[in-house]
Amino acid sequence: QPRSPCCCLAWTLLIGTMNSLLFLLNLLLMFVIFTVVLLPTIVVVYFGFQCHSQVLHSSASYCKSVLDDNSSSALIILGFVIMSPLLVVAMAIYCSLARRLQLLVCCQPYSLALYKGGRWCHRGEGALCCARGCSSQLKAWV
């Protein structure tokens, strides 16, 4: 049965806030994982660009004593070469963690705000999900 307009607005705000927080949590988790996994690439490319004479040409002591233009170019190339496998590793870590935490099945549909009768339940390992019958056969991942 349909909800009253005030109740529908309150539920819409609650569901929208919860879905937005879940989206921000996913973005934060992805940002942290990608930053940690891609840190070697970031560092190598940064030092390569910093010490190359035609890019930034820093006056730091390690740029003068250790890195010349050839080694800076090698660092830049190495950084971009190791980026591809590290991107795959980062995405695999994020996907496995999102699957384990069941973050992608937690989004609530807005039909909960419009009609009474839908309910939230805990399924499996404690992930909050929306299901009318709380069927354990419904899975987001195969």
Side-chain angles (χ1 to χ4, degrees):
Q1 97 189 46
R3 296 185 190 272
S4 68
C6 291
C7 186
C8 182
L9 180 64
W11 274 95
T12 301
L13 290 175
L14 177 72
I15 291 171
T17 303
M18 190 175 83
N19 287 345
S20 298
L21 288 174
L22 184 65
F23 176 74
L24 290 175
L25 177 69
N26 273 314
L27 277 180
L28 178 68
L29 182 67
M30 187 180 293
F31 177 75
V32 168
I33 290 173
F34 274 73
T35 302
V36 169
V37 171
L38 291 175
L39 191 60
T41 298
I42 294 168
V43 169
V44 167
V45 170
Y46 171 75
F47 282 119
F49 277 124
Q50 184 181 13
C51 294
H52 200 281
S53 67
Q54 294 181 356
V55 182
L56 292 177
H57 194 58
S58 175
S59 61
S61 63
Y62 55 84
C63 287
K64 293 178 182 177
S65 62
V66 178
L67 297 174
D68 58 354
D69 280 352
N70 291 334
S71 58
S72 296
S73 297
L75 282 178
I76 294 169
I77 292 169
L78 175 68
F80 285 114
V81 166
I82 65 173
M83 186 184 300
S84 296
L86 289 180
L87 279 172
V88 172
V89 169
M91 188 51 103
I93 291 171
Y94 169 73
C95 288
S96 67
L97 193 59
R99 181 180 181 189
R100 180 163 297 158
L101 296 176
Q102 295 184 354
L103 292 177
L104 303 176
V105 296
C106 292
C107 287
Q108 301 295 323
Y110 284 104
S111 62
L112 284 177
L114 300 176
Y115 299 103
K116 295 178 184 176
R119 64 178 204 217
W120 292 341
C121 64
H122 294 284
R123 182 187 329 141
E125 299 162 359
L128 184 65
C129 65
C130 172
R132 296 200 183 266
C134 294
S135 172
S136 63
Q137 295 176 350
L138 180 64
K139 294 182 181 178
W141 301 81
V142 179

